[in-house]
Amino acid sequence: MSQQRDKTPARRRFLRDAARSAAGLAGIAVLLGLQQKQSQARDGLALRPPGALANGAFDSACIRCGQCVQACPYQTLKLATLLSPLAAGTPYFVARDIPCEMCEDIPCVVACPSGALDPLLTDIDQARMGLAVLLDHENCLNWQGLRCDVCYRVCPQIDKAITLDLQHNLRTGKHAMFLPTVHSNACTGCGKCEQACVLEQAAIKVLPMELARGQLGEHYRWGWQEKQRAGHSLVPEGLTLPARGAKGGE
Amino acid sequence: MANPVAQAGRDARLRHGWWRSNRFLILRRSSQLLILLMFLSGPLWGVWILRGNYSASLLLETIPLTDPLMMLESLLAGHWPAWLVWVGTAVVLIYGLIGNRVFCGWVCPLNPVTDLAAWLRRKLGLRQSASLPRSLRYGILIAVLVGSAVSGTLLWEWLNPVALMGRGLIHGIGEGALSWLKGLVAAFGAGIWLIVALFLFDLLVVEHGWCGHLCPVGALYGVIGSRGVVQISAEKRENCTRCMDCIHVCPEPQILREPLLLQKGAPQVASDACIACGRCIDVCAENVFEIKTKFHYSGAKK
């Protein structure tokens, strides 16, 4: 058969070259296309559904079936695609687009066959999808002394997850500021505050736990808590420390 | 004398009519479409026949199904799957034992894409093909499994175009043409370029490149189903006229060589690579091929 085709070497070479250059071009086009897609990455952080195992564990447990997405009544959950920061096929939501409505029966967790969404989560208030953080004090209206309060008002855990903390307004000298303050012991990371923020870009955003929270050094203790626990100060009261001047001690 | 590649199946059509020479193709496309519709009926009309997608699903709210490769990756990555996943895998394994690579031919949503590439190749007379070993897919399969164990992630799922195609089609639905289109764009995302790349790879670079050489999902189904009950058999191979039509349409032509062309050993086609698509039965004007079960041969000596 190959001898037969050798009778028309010019045609054969042309076809081969054409096919190879087309394939090469297509390959380059695809690469460029992917590149471009990636640069159009949407704004807003991707959050996991309620009950999701910690990062690595979730990636190995989730079998990408999308049943949580189909179970979500509010079209909150989406599946990641190729080249997204999350593993392709895993569920996420972007709070600024559609936040979690915190269904009491948690249908996404019920639908999960693999245990990637922990079936032990039965109380949605215990979910920790992330933590709301008021990132931008400079643009938050409440921090300017205005009474926006929207994040506080929409919070499903109002007065628990977000409180308004009173502070003196130094700019006017005579008014108050009501600072939205998030409390990690109650915030579920549902993202309703981020979605509702009236600014062009939300000043309050839900961040994944590991981004949102700091951590004390292992050895570090809060003195006042230790004092309360022990019933007395752990260091002698009225301790005088040596003065360390330029000339120091002996 | 061998027929031209572009005219594979013409003799059978002229002699036996259109239905007889296309029936397995039609049945197979119907099967693929039907399964997709079973996934779509839920989101579209609220009738949940299959929840989930090709990676894992729930049939009629009771029977779980899980892609065995997905399950293996998850297990090796260090997650002990919930019982539902185990049951689902068991169910798919049973079906894997019934058929050989029937998933590839009758279920896989990517199959129509690679079939289109192969069809275009024949019609356009593109014979040029880089050569890759057919066994490469088993290498990839092992690499994926070892890689999952080492990295602790489901390695193949970063790429898996089979799952990707299914997700795009199933999760990209919307009401009305425009929102559906938007949904598809969102659900496929950058993944559509992978599908395009695969199509072009199959069309221009390697003949039957993806399904026949690379895909580890199909490779695993091949391993599971190598003792499959469903078998294609060159029953009347003495009638073969060497027109080569079956070889030209077969996605795994190497498996037809021994039982048909060399007439060596049993007439049954080996199961590990055969996708039981039945296209060879369609295109054969001499009615050489038959689709049978293994039980058909039990006791009968050849």
Side-chain angles (χ1 to χ4, degrees), chain B residues 217-258:
Chain B
V217 180
L220 183 62
Y221 275 116
V223 173
I224 295 167
S226 59
R227 297 275 167 268
V229 173
V230 174
Q231 264 185 337
I232 306 282
S233 174
E235 280 298 284
K236 303 191 196 111
R237 54 186 172 185
E238 61 279 5
N239 293 346
C240 176
T241 60
R242 308 272 160 136
C243 73
M244 294 294 174
D245 276 5
C246 58
I247 302 279
H248 291 153
V249 296
C250 180
E252 306 275 345
Q254 78 283 1
I255 57 173
L256 290 179
R257 213 174 111 82
E258 251 182 45

Side-chain angles (χ1 to χ4, degrees), chain A residues 151-153 155-165 181 183 185-186:
Chain A
C151 53
Y152 164 76
R153 293 279 165 211
C155 179
Q157 301 271 65
I158 186 168
D159 283 325
K160 282 186 269 183
I162 303 185
T163 54
L164 292 179
D165 290 4
T181 307
H183 304 277
N185 58 1

Side-chain angles (χ1 to χ4, degrees), chain B residues 40 54 71 118 155 159 171 181 212 225 242-243 276-277:
Chain B
L40 287 177
Y54 293 88
M71 149 85 179
L155 206 58
L159 202 67
H171 299 286
L181 192 67
R242 308 272 160 136
C243 73
C277 68

Side-chain angles (χ1 to χ4, degrees), chain A residues 130-133 205-214:
Chain A
L131 182 65
V133 180
K205 289 192 167 93
V206 178
L207 304 182
M209 265 318 172
E210 64 277 11
L211 263 185
R213 303 210 63 182

